[in-house]
Amino acid sequence: MRANSRGSASPRPDTIGGLLPVFMEAVSDRVRTKSSRQSYLDVLKQLDRSFDEVPVGKIGEEDLVRWVRGDRGLSPNWVKSRRSKVCRFFRWCLNEGHIEVDPARRLPEAR
């Protein structure tokens, strides 16, 4: 596991990185193929790197809009894929009581 900005070897349990293993286990019955699981991991690890050590409850809708759309002209299909995975992760966080408000609930569709 990589060291985070605070120099510790494991992520805080209230961050994306800390919740990612539990989330992946929770969705394993619905995300069945190896490539789908890898796609979720890739997207959510990118999200984790962007919000290093920020508790999921502190991530806002505008933060996610900027991240999902990206800086570098991502294709609409890639934006749609990012949005879908981020929405599912934050919906799970809400349902499991890790957050009080889902910041991804109104993310705009890719155009």
Side-chain angles (χ1 to χ4, degrees):
M1 185 160 287
R2 70 178 171 79
N4 57 34
S5 61
R6 294 186 177 171
S8 62
S10 58
R12 290 175 40 160
D14 61 345
T15 63
I16 296 163
L19 293 170
L20 186 54
V22 182
F23 169 76
M24 291 304 297
E25 180 65 30
V27 298
S28 64
D29 63 327
R30 293 176 300 263
V31 182
R32 294 186 179 126
T33 68
K34 184 177 181 178
S35 63
S36 293
R37 285 190 303 271
Q38 190 59 53
S39 179
Y40 265 91
L41 284 170
D42 291 346
V43 168
L44 294 174
K45 284 180 179 180
Q46 290 171 9
L47 184 67
D48 180 44
R49 284 191 296 275
S50 296
F51 293 98
D52 186 38
E53 292 299 299
V54 176
V56 291
K58 300 286 186 191
I59 298 171
E61 182 178 339
E62 289 302 314
D63 300 323
L64 291 178
V65 167
R66 279 191 300 277
W67 187 85
V68 166
R69 288 184 177 160
D71 299 335
R72 52 189 196 268
L74 300 172
S75 76
N77 286 342
W78 182 239
V79 172
K80 183 178 178 180
S81 177
R82 285 177 117 182
R83 181 190 177 281
S84 171
K85 289 165 179 65
V86 165
C87 285
R88 186 176 224 179
F89 174 76
F90 279 97
R91 189 170 43 249
W92 173 84
C93 287
L94 179 68
N95 292 339
E96 294 297 313
H98 298 291
I99 57 177
E100 294 181 19
V101 176
D102 178 357
R105 73 190 175 284
R106 296 186 311 191
L107 285 180
E109 297 286 335
R111 297 178 202 187

